[in-house]
Amino acid sequence: MKEIKEEIYKLVKLLNKYSYDYYVEDNPQISDTEYDTLYKQLEKLEKEYPELIQENSPTQRVGDVVLSEFEKVTHKVPMLSLSNTFSTEDLRDFDNRIKKVVANRKIEYICELKIDGLAISINYVNGKLISAATRGDGTVGEEVTDNIKTIFSIPKVLKDNKTFEVRGEVYLPKKSFNILNEERKENNEVLFANPRNAAAGSLRQLDSKITAQRRLSAFIYSVVGDNTIESQLQALKTAEEYELPVNNNYKLCKNIDEVINYIEYWDINRKNLPYEIDGIVIKVNSYSLQEEIGYTQKSPRWATAFKFPEEELATKLLDVELSVGRTGIVTPVAQLDPIVISGSTVSKASLHNKDVIDELDIHIGDMVIVKKAGEIIPKVVRVLKELRLENSEKYIMPNRCPSCNSELVSKKDDPFIRCVNPECPEQNIRKIIHFASRDALNIEGLGDKVVATLYEQGIISHTIDLFSLEREKLIDLDRMGEKSVDNLLKAIENSKNSSLDKVIYALGILNVGKKAAKILAEKYLNLTTLMTATVDELINLPDIGLITAESVIDFLSNEINIKFINDLISIGMNPQYKVQKIEDDNIFSGKTIVLTGKLVELTRNEAKEYLEKLGAKVTGSVTTKTDLVLAGEKAGSKLAKAEQLGIQVISEEEFISMLGEKKVNG
């Protein structure tokens, strides 16, 4: 037992170190495969010896608490906001005010990156994380302890019995944000507008399992309650000493000119960071000087935040268009007088949901401010009400579906409205488009416009109708010649041979993306067995949480969906899933690989499928963890970064040659 205890202790210590290197230092020391192997070894030991599970074990961060609501927490020391500055002149005014209060004293400033996230307070007692709360209004926040414990970069146990409060910022790295939005896109969920909103939404989940899946991280910037600390620099050093996550880009500046130089550097280089920042925080370094300089009612006089300018432009809102998704969510989209933002022409912008429309007080014809949120999704951020015309019409979200005129439904505390009519034309068109899409059954020739035409002409009304299309009716349609019709019918027939995971994904089950579809395929092996699934079975599958499990059961309990699946089975679409047996010694097994550029002999999806069958992990961005980059024609920034990091790069020709050496059975 002593040896087992020592082995668990060493594994916990090593895995926590690797997590720190990965989440805090952004400098992974081992591959994902190596980490996973050690992690599974620890899981196995903990399962056999549950009495030896350590509180700071990485396995204890999965999240398992569901709350009915958040408890309110009063901060012992208020979490004040900072005043903002926007120009060099503002900074020099700030510096002059400081000098007047503490004349003839040496003033040093410490500059830190202003992370675009959610402020958090964490309490450690005798070295253990006992509570955490959001900033809230600065005086009262929300208790989110169980959610904070899911964040790998935050230690649950310190290296000694220290008691203090630390404050920092919870954020979502750019990579995690992109992965999260890609998953939401696959599941036909509304995308997050930017990493900050995603971080806030993730941290404020009542179910900590959801928080655990969101890949949040954090930086600590303050220590409260330690009277031995005399400066902000010392506070950061203390946090580092206790292996708390500290952003190491801080700098001690001797004067305001050095502060300005620091700001100018990061204004240029912030795009290279793996997380979003929206400015620089400047603080007087000395705590004794801070106390002498004092506070206003809302903020400290000894600190300020310099905010980077965002590219925001004004334009006219011409109309609001409503889009109905395949799951029934009705999304409002602003139709704009076109403008160019960040090098691209923008004529539409997100209005997200009815709550956003009410908050902005949208009127048709308003002059609105538009920006690219996180340089990704254009959105309307405010209305220039002073320019509003007297006869302008306030926009009211409709209570009937724009596609089928059915009454729209909204749930309590849900900002989204939905059409629940299973015969809604727009929903059915979207479902058919999804069914035929590249990541689903990949029916070539059945694009969005063709599907819409077939539906509007009354040739199809449900997805299953695709398999009874008549050649003569198709040839009569505009732009559908004999060859294209024959090719389409052949593609539809060939789709019956799709793998089970593709078929499950094509069903369009809410919250079931490509990854979840593959997990379901591996578990149930065919559609017939899938229809017998239970919640208890589903929640015990890897990466299938309660929300996804309930979505699957809801789908399989619906009579229309049951008929659809049975119809698919009756036409011969009930593939048996073949579990791939991979020999661990093939040249791609366990490797992290990035695809970039245009491939000629293979599609990107084909190359990805080959690699995944061989045990490789295909990711979207080049990092120090990348083992190999497959570069096709016109490869751009990813190729340049790979060369900069010294990562092996192969051509498509080399890749095809290497595939000849693969060792895959089954």
Side-chain angles (χ1 to χ4, degrees):
M1 182 69 78
K2 183 179 178 182
E3 290 179 356
I4 298 297
K5 186 174 182 180
E6 183 180 359
E7 186 177 358
I8 289 176
Y9 172 80
K10 288 184 175 179
L11 278 169
V12 169
K13 186 176 181 181
L14 186 62
L15 287 168
N16 282 339
K17 178 189 179 301
Y18 287 146
S19 294
Y20 186 89
D21 292 336
Y22 180 87
Y23 287 100
V24 182
E25 300 291 342
D26 194 34
N27 183 29
Q29 299 298 309
I30 59 172
S31 69
D32 283 356
T33 305
E34 290 174 288
Y35 182 92
D36 290 342
T37 302
L38 293 173
Y39 188 92
K40 287 175 182 175
Q41 185 180 345
L42 176 61
E43 275 187 321
K44 182 175 181 292
L45 288 172
E46 290 180 339
K47 187 175 182 180
E48 293 175 2
Y49 304 94
E51 71 276 12
L52 297 181
I53 295 175
Q54 295 184 33
E55 190 174 354
N56 65 331
S57 170
T59 64
Q60 302 306 297
R61 294 183 183 271
V62 295
D64 59 0
V65 177
V66 180
L67 305 174
S68 59
E69 59 182 9
F70 291 107
E71 296 290 334
K72 300 300 182 185
V73 175
T74 301
H75 300 296
K76 292 180 181 178
V77 178
M79 297 182 71
L80 300 178
S81 58
L82 295 177
S83 62
N84 292 325
T85 54
F86 299 93
S87 66
T88 300
E89 292 73 21
D90 288 344
L91 287 170
R92 294 198 183 280
D93 288 343
F94 167 74
D95 180 52
N96 289 331
R97 289 195 299 271
I98 298 294
K99 288 176 177 176
K100 284 181 181 178
V101 178
V102 288
N104 303 319
R105 238 80 62 84
K106 180 182 178 182
I107 301 170
E108 291 181 323
Y109 295 107
I110 192 155
C111 293
E112 302 165 53
L113 303 184
K114 187 175 183 296
I115 310 301
D116 198 10
L118 189 73
I120 196 78
S121 164
I122 304 172
N123 282 290
Y124 287 92
V125 175
N126 295 326
K128 293 185 178 181
L129 194 165
I130 64 158
S131 66
T134 62
R135 177 184 178 276
D137 63 5
T139 302
V140 178
E142 293 175 320
E143 197 259 327
V144 288
T145 308
D146 292 297
N147 290 350
I148 284 294
K149 285 181 176 179
T150 69
I151 301 175
F152 272 91
S153 57
I154 297 176
K156 293 167 72 175
V157 180
L158 301 177
K159 65 180 183 179
D160 65 23
N161 296 330
K162 191 73 175 176
T163 295
F164 55 26
E165 176 189 353
V166 297
R167 293 176 174 180
E169 199 85 3
V170 171
Y171 68 95
L172 194 67
K174 290 177 181 176
K175 181 178 179 181
S176 298
F177 173 71
N178 291 334
I179 291 172
L180 177 59
N181 259 355
E182 194 62 38
E183 290 171 349
R184 293 179 74 83
K185 183 179 179 182
E186 284 181 9
N187 298 333
N188 201 38
E189 296 175 299
V190 177
L191 302 185
F192 283 115
N194 54 54
R196 187 192 183 284
N197 287 357
S202 300
L203 188 61
R204 297 188 71 259
Q205 289 289 332
L206 293 172
D207 185 349
S208 61
K209 282 185 178 178
I210 299 175
T211 305
Q213 295 168 359
R214 295 287 176 84
R215 308 172 185 90
L216 292 169
S217 198
F219 285 126
I220 299 301
Y221 54 71
S222 177
V223 177
V224 180
D226 187 335
N227 296 328
T228 66
I229 297 175
E230 297 180 348
S231 69
Q232 176 63 13
L233 180 61
Q234 189 181 350
L236 294 172
K237 295 291 185 185
T238 300
E240 287 177 330
E241 180 186 342
Y242 284 95
E243 297 180 348
L244 290 157
V246 173
N247 188 295
N248 59 11
N249 291 305
Y250 61 81
K251 183 179 180 181
L252 185 65
C253 297
K254 296 177 182 178
N255 53 53
I256 199 67
D257 289 324
E258 289 190 8
V259 170
I260 292 169
N261 290 337
Y262 177 91
I263 289 171
E264 289 174 347
Y265 173 84
W266 283 112
D267 192 17
I268 296 170
N269 291 282
R270 57 183 163 130
K271 292 181 181 179
N272 301 322
L273 292 167
Y275 43 81
E276 295 285 353
I277 65 171
D278 60 354
I280 302 295
V281 174
I282 304 106
K283 303 173 185 174
V284 171
N285 185 43
S286 165
Y287 278 7
S288 62
L289 288 181
Q290 287 182 8
E291 288 302 314
E292 195 171 338
I293 296 164
Y295 302 80
T296 68
Q297 188 174 357
K298 294 182 178 180
S299 60
R301 300 182 195 274
W302 43 264
T304 192
F306 179 88
K307 301 296 287 288
F308 290 128
E310 293 179 323
E311 189 171 1
E312 297 182 346
L313 294 177
T315 188
K316 180 176 282 191
L317 188 149
L318 304 176
D319 202 353
V320 176
E321 181 181 271
L322 297 174
S323 171
V324 185
R326 64 180 169 85
T327 60
I329 290 178
V330 178
T331 304
V333 179
Q335 306 298 301
L336 306 171
D337 197 6
I339 48 172
V340 177
I341 303 180
S342 301
S344 60
T345 300
V346 172
S347 59
K348 296 182 179 182
S350 174
L351 287 167
H352 295 296
N353 53 52
K354 60 183 175 62
D355 284 2
V356 171
I357 283 181
D358 290 342
E359 184 181 337
L360 292 172
D361 186 28
I362 293 291
H363 284 55
I364 303 300
D366 275 345
M367 289 298 293
V368 296
I369 300 297
V370 179
K371 80 169 185 177
K372 276 197 172 182
E375 300 183 354
I376 299 170
I377 305 168
K379 71 171 186 176
V380 176
V381 292
R382 65 181 183 276
V383 175
L384 298 176
K385 294 181 181 179
E386 60 272 25
L387 298 179
R388 177 176 289 164
L389 300 177
E390 289 184 9
N391 61 350
S392 67
E393 180 184 349
K394 181 179 174 63
Y395 181 77
I396 305 294
M397 283 288 282
N399 56 16
R400 307 201 76 82
C401 176
S403 176
C404 67
N405 203 38
S406 298
E407 188 172 354
L408 296 175
V409 174
S410 61
K411 297 179 182 178
K412 185 180 179 182
D413 298 326
D414 184 354
F416 301 107
I417 57 175
R418 290 173 168 82
C419 173
V420 295
N421 174 20
E423 301 300 323
C424 174
E426 191 64 29
Q427 279 188 68
N428 281 326
I429 289 172
R430 297 283 182 185
K431 287 175 183 176
I432 298 167
I433 289 170
H434 172 77
F435 188 83
S437 65
R438 179 177 295 179
D439 290 332
L441 299 195
N442 194 22
I443 302 176
E444 292 188 19
L446 197 62
D448 297 11
K449 290 182 179 178
V450 174
V451 171
T453 299
L454 293 175
Y455 196 95
E456 289 161 4
Q457 294 287 329
I459 296 173
I460 58 174
S461 56
H462 296 284
T463 306
I464 196 65
D465 297 339
L466 292 173
F467 299 96
S468 56
L469 284 172
E470 298 176 12
R471 188 174 185 272
E472 292 71 22
K473 288 185 178 179
L474 295 178
I475 289 175
D476 290 340
L477 297 175
D478 290 340
R479 300 179 183 179
M480 292 288 283
E482 290 192 16
K483 186 175 180 180
S484 61
V485 167
D486 289 340
N487 287 340
L488 174 58
L489 292 173
K490 183 179 178 181
I492 292 171
E493 186 64 26
N494 288 341
S495 72
K496 294 180 182 179
N497 300 318
S498 300
S499 61
L500 180 62
D501 57 313
K502 297 279 190 182
V503 176
I504 293 173
Y505 177 67
L507 293 176
I509 303 172
L510 183 65
N511 297 314
V512 174
K514 290 181 289 184
K515 184 178 180 181
K518 193 167 186 178
I519 292 168
L520 293 174
E522 289 173 348
K523 167 67 177 175
Y524 293 102
L525 301 181
N526 56 56
L527 289 177
T528 306
T529 312
L530 174 66
M531 292 173 73
T532 68
T534 65
V535 169
D536 289 340
E537 285 177 349
L538 292 167
I539 60 175
N540 286 314
L541 295 176
D543 298 318
I544 301 291
L546 180 61
I547 291 175
T548 302
E550 289 177 341
S551 294
V552 173
I553 297 303
D554 285 346
F555 185 90
L556 297 175
S557 303
N558 183 290
E559 290 185 8
I560 293 175
N561 297 331
I562 293 171
K563 182 180 185 305
F564 176 43
I565 295 174
N566 284 326
D567 286 344
L568 289 176
I569 294 171
S570 69
I571 63 168
M573 187 178 283
N574 190 16
Q576 186 72 19
Y577 188 77
K578 295 180 181 179
V579 180
Q580 297 290 336
K581 297 179 181 178
I582 302 169
E583 293 188 20
D584 292 336
D585 61 344
N586 81 73
I587 52 182
F588 298 111
S589 180
K591 296 288 196 304
T592 298
I593 300 175
V594 172
L595 308 181
T596 184
K598 182 182 178 182
L599 302 182
V600 178
E601 299 297 326
L602 300 168
T603 66
R604 291 274 285 271
N605 275 349
E606 286 172 342
K608 183 181 179 184
E609 285 181 11
Y610 275 127
L611 288 165
E612 288 179 342
K613 285 177 182 177
L614 290 164
K617 178 182 178 182
V618 180
T619 62
S621 57
V622 177
T623 69
T624 53
K625 295 171 63 178
T626 305
D627 297 304
L628 184 70
V629 171
L630 167 57
E633 296 177 356
K634 297 181 181 178
S637 59
K638 292 179 184 178
L639 174 60
K641 187 169 183 180
E643 291 171 341
Q644 179 186 349
L645 294 174
I647 294 167
Q648 182 184 358
V649 178
I650 60 171
S651 65
E652 182 180 8
E653 185 179 356
E654 290 173 311
F655 173 60
I656 292 172
S657 175
M658 293 165 76
L659 282 178
E661 304 169 27
K662 68 183 184 296
K663 299 177 181 178
V664 179
N665 300 319

